[in-house]
Amino acid sequence: NGAGGGVGTFAVQIAKSFGAHVTGVDSAHKAGIVRAVGADLVLDYAEQDFAASGITYDVIVDIRADGSWSSRSVGSNIRGNSR
């Protein structure tokens, strides 16, 4: 969560520069900027729960790091840890 903010857009661009397939999560009104900086898939956190999607990720960058998103992100990490 937070792919459309200052740190999030930077993280998306860095990941893309390394050849990653990037899923960005933020609000619907930030979807355009998240796509513009290179995200392959953009999810609106108010409409879609990335942690419940069944998709796993190699790396999760949780910009907000609040308890609800952070704890649920661990289950979506392909290794099941928060590193």
Side-chain angles (χ1 to χ4, degrees), residues 2-51:
V7 174
T9 56
F10 189 60
V12 169
Q13 292 174 77
I14 290 172
K16 289 303 292 183
S17 75
F18 281 98
H21 181 275
V22 176
T23 300
V25 180
D26 211 312
S27 61
H29 77 273
K30 292 186 178 179
I33 187 68
V34 178
R35 280 189 197 91
V37 296
D40 299 292
L41 175 64
V42 179
L43 302 178
D44 174 4
Y45 66 79
E47 299 293 325
Q48 298 167 291
D49 182 355
F50 82 93

Side-chain angles (χ1 to χ4, degrees), residues 1 15 24 31 34 41 44 54-55 59 61 75:
N1 195 18
V34 178
L41 175 64
D44 174 4
I55 300 170
V59 176
V61 179

Side-chain angles (χ1 to χ4, degrees), residues 1 25 43-57 59-62 64-82:
N1 195 18
V25 180
L43 302 178
D44 174 4
Y45 66 79
E47 299 293 325
Q48 298 167 291
D49 182 355
F50 82 93
S53 70
I55 300 170
T56 55
Y57 303 92
V59 176
I60 296 173
V61 179
D62 185 6
R64 287 194 52 203
D66 68 9
S68 63
W69 283 100
S70 294
S71 60
R72 290 178 24 232
S73 294
V74 173
S76 297
N77 184 282
I78 203 162
R79 291 177 185 83
N81 61 43
S82 58

